[in-house]
């Protein structure tokens, strides 16, 4: 008799555990992080790719989306030749899984292509199909990193407003800093619950990296009443260009270089910041919600 009661108790415990597991999975969303800058050519694509790879190396599952309307950067940087992009998925010719390509270190990549502009004008059926597809991968990844083009175009702004978090990239050049500030200002008042991160790229040394970041943070604090979370800086390193020429990510080619160490520290700061819950509610956000926001449904 006792045995039977014990068995029943065990069964009830198993069911409870299963339900808890399913609930936890349901609430786990992919963190959508957009990489942006005011001025062009400051290193967004380089950082998006190398931070994504560093996150992979640190045990995270990452999907990288190329949303730059200009040149399709990320695939060229890796010497990949994607056959399909978001456009083919929007047209209904391909499923999401068909357009995702495999990068190094287990990184997944979604080539955006002309599909990025099409997002703004979707009919209801296409939209539903797109959201069902995107829902399938929500939670499958820890991070979705999105590389954007430079500047305050409507497209880029809607990406920034829809993201869970934004990483702003600037160099120490005054024009790059003022353009980055302009960008922060453009979205600051329209954003809630988002973490604004900053990376200073191409610094001459650590001191410059720290000083530029602190200055930027102070200005945002004082004039926009906005908290900027400094992720770190990356040294100006000629080997970065070498990576591009050889169509390999530079943290893979030169993992012991100072710039690679800088990238690793940025990625681990990002993980720590997320784990500490700077970017709070895991029930909000996610890939599906990001695209819903972009197309004005959420
Ligand atoms: N830390 C660095 N040290 C040296 N060179 C760098 C560094 N970061 C980026 N670069 C170089 O700067 C150039 C521009 O980089 P990248 O293409 O990543 O910028 P971007 O912001 O994506 O540009 P765009 O606005 O055109 O999309 C590239 O030639 C790249 O090799
Ligand atoms: Mg780029």
């Amino acid at each position: 008799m006792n045995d039977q009661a014990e068995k029943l108790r065990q069964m009830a415990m198993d069911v409870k555990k299963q339900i808890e597991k399913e609930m936890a999975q349901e609430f786990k969303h992919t963190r959508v992080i957009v990489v942006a800058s005011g001025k062009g050519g400051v290193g967004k694509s380089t950082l998006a790719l190398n931070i994504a790879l560093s996150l992979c190396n640190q045990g995270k599952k990452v999907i990288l989306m190329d949303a730059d309307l200009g040149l399709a950067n990320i695939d060229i940087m890796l010497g990949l030749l994607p056959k399909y992009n978001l456009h083919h998925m929007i047209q209904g010719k391909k499923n999401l899984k068909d357009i995702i390509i495999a990068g190094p270190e287990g990184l997944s990549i979604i080539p955006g292509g002309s599909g990025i502009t099409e997002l703004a004008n979707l009919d209801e059926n296409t939209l539903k199909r797109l959201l069902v597809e995107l829902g399938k991968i929500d939670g499958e990844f820890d991070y979705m990193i999105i590389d954007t083009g430079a500047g305050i175009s409507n497209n880029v702004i809607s990406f920034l407003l829809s993201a869970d978090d934004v990483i702003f990239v600037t160099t120490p050049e005054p024009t790059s800093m003022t353009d980055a500030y302009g960008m922060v200002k453009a979205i600051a008042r329209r954003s809630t619950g988002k973490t604004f991160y900053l990376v200073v790229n191409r610094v001459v040394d650590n001191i410059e990296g720290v000083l530029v970041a602190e200055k930027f943070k102070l200005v945002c604090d004082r004039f926009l009443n906005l908290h900027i979370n400094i992720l770190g800086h990356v040294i100006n390193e000629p080997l970065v260009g070498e990576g591009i020429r050889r169509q390999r990510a530079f943290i893979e080619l030169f993992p012991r270089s100072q710039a690679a160490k800088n990238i690793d520290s940025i990625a681990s700061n990002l993980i720590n910041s997320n784990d500490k819950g700077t970017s709070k509610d895991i029930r909000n956000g996610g890939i599906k919600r990001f695209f819903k926001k972009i197309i004005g449904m959420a």
Side-chain angles (χ1 to χ4, degrees):
M1 197 62 187
N2 261 352
D3 253 12
Q4 214 167 8
E6 185 52 40
K7 255 189 202 155
L8 280 173
R9 248 196 302 275
Q10 190 55 48
M11 273 167 72
M13 282 296 283
D14 288 348
V15 170
K16 185 171 169 255
K17 270 188 202 149
Q18 183 63 27
I19 291 172
E20 278 171 358
K21 197 173 145 205
E22 278 170 17
M23 280 174 74
Q25 270 169 357
E26 191 182 327
F27 287 149
K28 183 182 171 282
H29 286 299
T30 302
R31 233 177 147 85
V32 179
I33 304 183
V34 169
V35 180
S37 75
K39 193 167 179 281
V42 297
K44 291 177 299 299
S45 302
T46 307
L47 292 177
L49 171 64
N50 286 283
I51 291 172
L53 285 173
S54 179
L55 288 168
C56 289
N57 288 336
Q58 296 182 48
K60 299 291 174 188
K61 278 206 76 187
V62 186
I63 187 158
L64 178 62
M65 187 163 100
D66 191 347
D68 190 342
L69 292 171
L71 297 168
N73 278 308
I74 302 284
D75 38 356
I76 291 175
M77 284 166 79
L78 289 172
L80 299 168
L81 290 170
K83 262 202 191 139
Y84 310 110
N85 57 42
L86 208 56
H87 164 76
H88 298 94
M89 190 182 130
I90 290 171
Q91 294 301 313
K93 292 184 183 135
K94 292 287 155 198
N95 292 325
L96 180 57
K97 299 254 174 187
D98 301 326
I99 67 167
I100 293 177
I101 51 174
E105 312 296 340
L107 175 69
S108 297
I109 299 167
I110 301 184
S114 55
I116 299 295
T117 29
E118 291 168 69
L119 285 176
N121 314 296
L122 299 178
D123 65 69
E124 201 174 320
N125 280 336
T126 315
L127 197 65
K128 277 189 192 146
R129 191 168 41 77
L130 190 72
L131 290 174
V132 168
E133 282 287 297
L134 290 161
K136 287 184 196 161
I137 60 162
D138 209 355
E140 205 179 289
F141 295 92
D142 299 302
Y143 293 97
M144 178 184 237
I145 309 280
I146 302 183
D147 178 30
T148 62
I152 312 187
S153 72
N154 283 344
N155 237 303
V156 173
I157 289 292
S158 84
F159 268 68
L160 296 191
L161 289 173
S162 307
D164 296 325
D165 302 316
V166 181
I167 299 178
F168 289 97
V169 181
T170 184
T171 66
E173 275 179 34
T175 48
S176 169
M177 286 176 69
T178 43
D179 287 359
Y181 176 76
M183 193 106 182
V184 173
K185 192 172 167 188
I187 65 157
R189 274 205 217 114
R190 295 155 73 191
S191 303
T192 47
K194 208 187 283 318
T195 307
F196 288 69
Y197 293 109
L198 179 75
V199 173
V200 187
N201 192 22
R202 309 193 77 158
V203 300
V204 291
D205 54 21
N206 290 338
I207 297 175
E208 185 179 48
V210 171
L211 284 180
V212 168
E214 286 300 332
K215 193 166 152 190
F216 194 88
K217 182 180 150 103
L218 196 75
V219 171
C220 291
D221 251 340
R222 185 162 303 164
F223 297 109
L224 302 176
N225 198 17
L226 182 99
H227 176 73
I228 296 279
N229 191 325
I230 299 169
L231 281 181
H233 53 259
V234 182
I235 206 102
N236 189 50
E237 167 63 76
L239 291 175
V240 172
E242 184 57 28
I244 300 214
R245 273 184 292 283
R246 285 165 58 178
Q247 295 196 305
R248 297 267 309 276
F250 86 89
I251 63 158
E252 283 211 302
L253 283 175
F254 310 105
R256 276 187 285 278
S257 65
Q258 183 58 48
K261 285 180 188 155
N262 291 152
I263 294 277
D264 286 340
S265 136
I266 287 167
S268 67
N269 285 343
L270 188 63
I271 295 171
N272 287 340
S273 159
N274 283 156
D275 287 353
K276 262 194 258 151
T278 316
S279 328
K280 291 139 240 133
D281 194 352
I282 53 161
R283 274 164 298 181
N284 283 324
I287 296 178
K288 203 167 164 184
R289 194 175 152 92
F290 172 76
F291 282 91
K292 269 189 176 174
K293 280 187 184 169
I294 291 222
I295 40 205
M297 279 177 61

